[in-house]
Each structure stands twice: as structure tokens, then as C-alpha cells.
């Protein structure tokens, strides 16, 4: 294997390597999520994985869902059967370790429980040629579970593909000292890719936005605006807003001008440090932030799951997810906060589904999960796959720089693959990109202009009122409007009957008096205005005999 300058020369002549997503399937139980299917061991086995973190890959064993205590989604994702491998991976197995030993950030956010172990195993990539990445490190999981506040849990049944360079030293169960690294690092050392870097856009299974993952480069068509840049893996999130892109507002208490200041740690707006993490599903944000957002949405908080469930019977639900409305995440573009980068997440992407084993039936939810990071000098919150459906994430692991930018919607431009060389190239936005709004036009329907009811909205959404009080006010207003409609209808009907009468002489009994030539209308207060008798041709007339008696509505008496 070439080393030093020979290694760099070979790598720089290489091209970015595409890691394709499996467009024929999606997985849950809290998605649907795009997924990658890779080949492992020998003879080859197919397993399902999400793009992971900078830590080693995770392989889930077939035995994970066979335990009596397991709680897996159906159909089960493809998993790893180490007993069928001829590579004898168990010879490189470590002692059992907790998930936090593998990845502390992911384990904390998902409340991972159980045990796994390190092991060296082959990963095979087949595009554009066959590449065998032997001896890469993997954390093997056969009984790890993700837990929720109320005790619900599901067995970790989808693996993770490492997106980093992580060197691990451990002792095997046979007492042998072993040093391993990740698949990306091996690919770079073999000269397969030009640098230890990646470009990722998770995409959306709901909107058929195919995911994009490249090692050693990126697809610039997934980066349609200037990226925010960080010198490590975390970014400064300055604010979150609710935005109405076009048309009337579908929100009960947010005007078409939108609303900012939703990012809060306590009760006041406050910037926070964010780690984009494709290994986890939700927006792990301060509870004050989740509550602030939820106060403007037709959702209810489920304390058992620690998530907000959409009230799908509320007409606002469909209006919000189908209109050009979105959350705007505003990041510092550089470490010194001299500029800002905005990433918009369409509300349609935030309409996800919980499925068994988390719920008994498919349940729509808003993926904000109240989260309190471990106490430290700088608490770090996390944005998972729900956010990365709409965002591009790039990292140059040799130079320790990260990039975060706006990704397109369903109407995305044609791919444009760019290489990241080991000399430290930057991730640049696509040249002449489409506007983000235009990539969502085909699936977004603006609401037509409607009169605002600010007084009604302020009554219903008054912060001091309970949910029952708000419902009572809303119900009372509805009955009041119905009563007005009934009264108005009855009045107009009686007037129409009178206006339609004709006397015996054939004269209309219309109350409209036509002026004759020479007559004038006197202003109020004119002394010349004298009482006059009705014209002599008006005769008494009877109502038509075919009309049945009609009882007046009680509300009109």
C-alpha cells in the first residue's frame, strides 16, 4: 500500500464514491426514512443502515429481533448473520460494551440501553467497481433498545454506516490487542477516494426525494445556498421561525408575515450549540423551544413518548402541511457570527408517522423532542434525520471543517458531482441554483386570501386560558355565527314574500317607490315634506292560498 506522498498522489487522482440509497424501500418505526443497503462479510450479506455519525459503523444481528424481549418493526430490516460468515469475525470480538462507549451523543439522545461489542468485518462497495474494505471496525448490536419517557421501547433494528475516521484500540476476548479504523479511512488509504470527506442529504421517502451520500466529494445540486461553516462538528443556531411563504396564513395565531423568536432555552430567546446527527431521528431541542412551536400548531404533547402528535381532525393540520409554510433555522455562517445562513424545513417533512411497536396504529407526529443535554461547559443539542431531510451536511475530516446548507425539495436540479481534494477544498453552493421555494411549488398549495379574525384568534389563543376554555369560546362563537345566519335568512325570506305580492289590479306591491317626472326627494328636516296618503290604486290583497303555515325559528322570536 502506498504511503506518504504516494498515497496522496493516488488519492487525488481518484473520484468521489457514491454510496447509493435503496430507492425500493423505506423504514421506520418513526419515519418513513430513506435507507442504504450495503454488503458485508463473505459470502456477502445485505444489511440496512442509516448514514451514521463519525463513530464506527453499527451492524444489527439477526438475533436482535429473535429474543423474547425484542420489540422490532415489521417487516424487519435486513440484518447481519455473523454465524454465516467465513471471515471468522468472532476471533476479533471485544468484550461487551454499553452503547455510550460507542457513541455518547447518539446514546444520550435516544436513551440507548443494552450491550454490544466491537468486531472487525468486511464491507463491500460495488459502484462503480468492486471495492473490498477489509478489517473495518463495527459495533455489533444484538440487544440494544431505544427507550422513551413513558417506558415504551423498540429494539435497534437498523444499522449505521460510519461517516468519520475513528481509530479504536481494544482487546479481543482472546486477549489480543487490536487496532481498527473506519470504512472511509480504509477507502482513502486504498486510493479509492480523493479525501476523507463526505457530502450528505438524507432526502425524504414521503416526497420521493432520493438521498445522496458521497465519500470524497458531494453533489452540489443538494447544496443550493451558501453553507454555514464550522471548525468542528457543531454549529451555532441563532433562532427558529415559523414562515408563510405565500398566500394566507394556515396558522391560527401567526399572520402571513410569520413569527420569529421561537428558539428558547427557558422563557427568553437564546442561541444554542447544535450537532447535526443523521444517526438519530428527531429535533432534540430545549423543551421551551418545542412548546413555543407547538403553541402555534394543531398538536398535543404525549408525555409517554416525549413527542407532539398532530391533531389530524383539525382542518389546520392539512392546511399547514400542504401549504408553502415552513420552519426557518437561522445559523451563524461562520464562527465569528459575521453572517447568517437560513435553512428552511417544509412542514410536510415534519409530518411523520409513528408505527408499531411504538404505537398500536400509524400516528402522525411533529418530531420535536424536548431534550436536556448532559451538564457540561457547552451543552449540545442535536438535529437528526427530520431536519436533515431538508439540509445538506458536508465534512472534511482531514481539516476538521463542517458545512451545513439548504437542500432542495422534490423538484431538485440535475446532479452535479464535485470532488473534495485532500488539500482542503471547501463545499461550495451550486452555481445558478433554483430558489428553494421553486423546488416545493409542485406539492404546495397557497391558501387563498381570507379575512383575518385577530380578535377571535387572540381570545382563543390567550395564554392564560386552559384548553377547555379555548374550546368553549370557539364553540360559542360558532353557535353565535350560526344564529346570525338563521336570523338573516328568515328576514330575507319574509321580505322576498312581501316584495313578490301583486294586488287585484295587477299593481306590484314593491316597497320601492319610483319617482314621477317633476317629483323630488326632500332632505331630512325639509319643512315642505308633508304627510301624504298612499296612492289610491293600492288595494288590500290576500296572501296566496297555496302557502302552508310556517313556524318561526325559536331563535327569531
Amino acid at each position: 500500500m502506498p504511503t506518504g506522498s504516494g498515497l496522496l498522489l493516488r488519492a487525488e487522482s481518484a473520484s468521489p464514491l457514491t454510496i447509493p440509497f435503496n430507492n425500493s424501500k423505506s423504514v421506520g418505526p418513526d419515519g418513513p426514512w430513506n435507507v442504504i443497503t450495503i454488503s458485508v462479510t463473505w459470502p456477502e450479506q445485505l444489511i440496512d443502515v442509516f448514514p451514521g455519525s463519525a463513530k464506527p459503523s453499527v451492524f444489527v444481528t439477526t438475533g436482535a429481533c429473535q429474543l423474547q424481549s425484542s420489540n422490532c418493526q415489521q417487516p424487519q430490516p435486513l440484518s447481519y448473520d455473523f454465524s454465516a460468515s467465513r471471515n471468522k469475525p468472532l476471533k476479533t470480538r471485544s468484550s461487551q460494551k454499553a452503547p455510550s462507549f460507542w457513541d455518547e451523543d447518539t446514546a444520550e439522545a435516544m436513551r440507548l440501553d443494552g450491550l454490544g461489542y466491537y468486531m472487525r468485518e468486511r464491507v463491500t462497495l460495488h459502484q462503480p467497481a468492486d471495492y473490498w474494505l477489509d478489517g473495518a471496525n463495527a459495533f455489533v448490536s444484538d440487544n440494544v433498545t431505544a427507550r422513551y419517557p413513558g417506558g415504551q421501547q423498540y429494539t435497534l433494528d437498523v444499522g449505521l454506516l460510519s461517516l468519520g475516521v475513528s481509530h479504536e484500540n481494544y482487546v479481543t476476548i482472546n486477549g489480543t490487542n487490536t487496532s481498527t479504523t473506519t470504512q472511509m479511512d480504509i477507502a482513502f488509504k486504498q486510493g479509492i477516494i480523493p479525501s476523507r470527506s463526505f457530502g450528505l442529504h438524507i432526502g425524504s421517502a414521503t416526497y420521493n426525494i432520493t438521498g445522496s451520500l458521497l465519500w470524497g466529494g458531494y453533489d452540489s445540486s443538494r447544496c443550493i445556498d451558501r453553507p454555514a461553516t464550522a471548525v468542528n462538528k457543531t454549529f451555532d443556531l441563532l433562532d427558529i421561525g415559523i414562515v408563510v411563504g405565500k398566500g394566507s396564513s394556515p396558522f391560527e395565531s401567526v399572520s402571513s408575515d410569520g413569527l420569529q423568536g421561537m428558539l428558547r432555552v427557558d422563557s427568553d430567546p437564546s442561541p444554542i450549540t447544535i450537532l447535526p446527527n443523521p444517526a438519530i431521528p428527531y429535533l432534540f431541542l430545549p423543551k421551551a423551544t418545542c412548546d413555543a412551536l407547538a403553541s402555534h400548531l394543531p398538536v398535543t404533547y404525549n408525555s409517554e413518548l416525549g413527542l407532539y402528535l398532530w391533531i389530524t381532525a383539525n382542518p389546520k393540520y392539512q392546511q399547514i402541511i400542504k401549504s408553502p409554510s415552513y420552519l426557518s433555522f437561522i445559523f451563524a455562517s461562520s464562527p465569528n457570527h459575521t453572517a447568517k445562513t437560513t435553512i428552511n424545513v417544509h412542514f410536510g417533512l415534519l409530518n411523520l408517522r409513528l408505527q408499531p411497536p411504538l404505537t398500536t396504529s400509524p400516528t402522525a407526529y411533529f418530531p420535536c423532542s424536548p431534550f436536556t443535554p448532559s451538564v457540561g461547559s457547552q451543552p449540545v443539542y442535536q438535529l437528526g434525520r427530520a431536519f436533515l431531510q431538508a439540509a445538506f451536511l458536508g465534512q472534511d475530516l482531514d481539516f476538521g471543517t463542517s458545512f451545513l446548507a439548504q437542500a432542495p425539495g422534490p423538484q431538485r436540479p440535475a446532479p452535479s458531482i464535485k470532488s473534495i481534494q485532500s488539500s482542503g477544498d471547501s463545499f461550495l453552493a451550486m452555481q445558478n441554483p433554483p430558489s428553494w421555494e421553486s423546488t416545493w411549488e409542485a406539492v404546495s398549495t397557497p391558501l387563498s386570501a381570507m379575512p383575518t379574525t385577530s380578535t377571535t384568534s387572540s381570545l382563543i389563543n390567550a395564554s392564560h386560558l386552559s384548553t377547555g376554555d379555548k374550546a368553549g369560546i370557539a364553540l360559542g362563537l360558532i353557535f353565535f355565527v350560526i344564529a346570525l345566519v338563521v336570523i338573516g335568512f328568515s328576514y330575507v325570506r319574509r321580505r322576498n314574500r312581501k316584495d313578490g305580492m301583486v294586488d287585484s289590479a295587477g299593481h306590484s306591491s314593491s316597497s320601492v317607490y319610483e319617482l314621477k317626472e317633476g317629483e323630488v326627494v326632500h332632505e331630512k328636516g325639509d319643512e315642505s315634506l308633508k304627510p301624504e296618503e298612499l296612492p289610491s290604486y293600492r288595494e288590500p290583497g290576500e296572501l296566496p292560498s297555496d302557502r302552508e303555515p310556517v313556524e318561526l325559528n325559536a331563535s327569531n322570536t
Side-chain angles (χ1 to χ4, degrees):
M1 180 181 295
T3 59
S5 60
L7 173 62
L8 292 177
L9 181 62
R10 181 178 175 183
E12 288 180 357
S13 64
S15 299
L17 182 64
T18 298
I19 312 295
F21 279 74
N22 187 341
N23 295 327
S24 66
K25 67 187 303 184
S26 60
V27 296
D30 45 19
W33 306 116
N34 287 330
V35 69
I36 297 171
T37 302
I38 62 172
S39 297
V40 300
T41 198
W42 181 80
E44 290 185 17
Q45 301 176 24
L46 298 179
I47 67 171
D48 290 331
V49 294
F50 292 127
S53 65
K55 302 299 183 178
S57 297
V58 174
F59 297 167
V60 178
T61 69
T62 54
C65 292
Q66 295 174 356
L67 298 173
Q68 289 187 352
S69 59
S70 65
N71 205 17
C72 297
Q73 61 181 304
Q74 298 294 334
Q76 294 177 12
L78 298 173
S79 54
Y80 169 59
D81 183 4
F82 62 80
S83 66
S85 172
R86 296 182 185 177
N87 285 344
K88 298 180 179 179
L90 291 181
K91 288 185 177 181
T92 64
R93 174 178 172 174
S94 73
S95 59
Q96 289 187 321
K97 301 181 183 298
S100 58
F101 187 87
W102 153 70
D103 187 342
E104 185 176 359
D105 293 322
T106 299
E108 180 183 27
M110 293 301 296
R111 302 180 182 89
L112 295 182
D113 190 17
L115 295 171
Y117 46 86
Y118 283 133
M119 193 165 63
R120 299 176 64 178
E121 183 58 284
R122 168 186 286 186
V123 170
T124 303
L125 303 176
H126 291 290
Q127 292 187 0
D130 291 338
Y131 301 111
W132 295 278
L133 309 179
D134 286 317
N137 192 16
F139 183 82
V140 179
S141 166
D142 55 13
N143 71 343
V144 174
T145 58
R147 300 192 178 276
Y148 291 77
Q152 291 91 334
Q153 54 87 24
Y154 71 89
T155 302
L156 195 68
D157 52 11
V158 179
L160 298 169
L161 179 63
S162 174
L163 296 182
V165 177
S166 176
H167 301 282
E168 302 293 337
N169 298 308
Y170 65 89
V171 179
T172 69
I173 56 175
N174 296 326
T176 304
N177 292 321
T178 299
S179 178
T180 64
T181 187
T182 60
Q183 291 85 6
M184 184 190 297
D185 190 38
I186 293 175
F188 174 73
K189 290 176 178 177
Q190 290 184 6
I192 299 172
I193 56 177
S195 63
R196 284 172 283 216
S197 63
F198 72 87
L200 170 68
H201 175 209
I202 289 284
S204 167
T206 302
Y207 288 94
N208 295 319
I209 305 174
T210 302
S212 171
L213 173 61
L214 287 91
W215 287 350
Y218 69 108
D219 182 355
S220 67
S221 72
R222 304 301 182 107
C223 178
I224 61 172
D225 203 354
R226 182 184 62 184
T229 305
V231 294
N232 48 37
K233 296 179 176 63
T234 61
F235 295 82
D236 292 332
L237 179 61
L238 306 179
D239 196 11
I240 299 175
I242 296 175
V243 182
V244 180
K246 188 177 182 181
S248 297
S249 172
F251 304 97
E252 197 71 59
S253 55
V254 178
S255 72
S256 57
D257 295 329
L259 187 64
Q260 298 298 320
M262 295 288 98
L263 180 59
R264 305 170 185 179
V265 175
D266 294 315
S267 58
D268 298 323
S270 175
I272 59 176
T273 301
I274 283 291
L275 172 68
N277 186 355
I280 61 178
Y282 314 132
L283 314 176
F284 290 89
L285 294 169
K287 188 176 188 303
T289 298
C290 291
D291 287 344
L293 294 170
S295 68
H296 302 287
L297 304 174
V299 296
T300 180
Y301 182 63
N302 185 300
S303 59
E304 298 290 303
L305 295 168
L307 294 168
Y308 298 80
L309 307 184
W310 286 105
I311 303 174
T312 56
N314 190 318
K316 293 293 181 182
Y317 162 69
Q318 290 289 343
Q319 293 176 359
I320 289 170
I321 66 173
K322 292 183 178 180
S323 67
S325 302
Y326 49 91
L327 290 185
S328 64
F329 292 76
I330 303 173
F331 296 87
S333 293
S334 58
N336 57 12
H337 293 198
T338 56
K340 299 177 182 178
T341 293
T342 298
I343 297 177
N344 299 320
V345 182
H346 194 285
F347 268 103
L349 296 175
L350 303 174
N351 176 40
L352 297 168
R353 291 289 184 276
L354 297 172
Q355 295 178 314
L358 289 179
T359 54
T360 56
S361 60
T363 303
Y365 78 103
F366 174 66
C368 200
S369 179
F371 178 61
T372 303
S374 298
V375 177
S377 58
Q378 188 180 38
V380 176
Y381 297 86
Q382 302 185 55
L383 294 176
R385 291 187 292 274
F387 171 77
L388 292 170
Q389 293 178 107
F392 167 83
L393 174 63
Q395 289 184 355
D396 186 334
L397 301 164
D398 289 323
F399 285 80
T401 51
S402 298
F403 302 83
L404 196 60
Q406 180 72 67
Q411 292 178 285
R412 60 189 183 279
S416 178
I417 306 302
K418 304 295 182 183
S419 178
I420 295 294
Q421 298 296 323
S422 57
S423 56
D425 291 340
S426 294
F427 290 77
L428 303 176
M430 178 185 183
Q431 293 185 354
N432 302 315
S435 68
W436 175 80
E437 291 81 2
S438 68
T439 67
W440 280 95
E441 282 182 347
V443 294
S444 300
T445 304
L447 296 184
S448 58
M450 295 180 294
T452 60
T453 55
S454 57
T455 302
T456 300
S457 297
S458 62
L459 282 172
I460 295 177
N461 293 282
S463 60
H464 66 278
L465 295 178
S466 67
T467 303
D469 292 335
K470 294 177 183 179
I473 293 174
L475 191 60
L477 289 171
I478 291 172
F479 281 120
F480 177 71
V481 171
I482 292 174
L484 288 178
V485 171
V486 171
I487 293 172
F489 176 75
S490 300
Y491 174 75
V492 170
R493 185 174 62 179
R494 290 197 300 271
R495 288 291 303 271
N496 287 343
R497 287 177 179 172
K498 292 180 180 180
D499 291 347
M501 295 180 191
V502 178
D503 63 13
S504 59
H507 298 291
S508 170
S509 63
S510 171
S511 60
V512 178
Y513 178 72
E514 296 182 5
L515 295 177
K516 296 182 175 60
E517 184 176 357
E519 290 183 323
V520 296
V521 176
H522 297 281
E523 299 292 337
K524 183 178 181 180
D526 194 330
E527 293 296 332
S528 63
L529 186 60
K530 304 294 183 181
E532 296 180 351
E533 293 183 351
L534 289 173
S536 59
Y537 62 78
R538 295 187 181 272
E539 302 286 355
E542 294 183 351
L543 288 172
S545 60
D546 60 346
R547 295 184 182 270
E548 297 291 333
V550 177
E551 184 177 0
L552 289 176
N553 190 301
S555 63
N556 297 334
T557 59

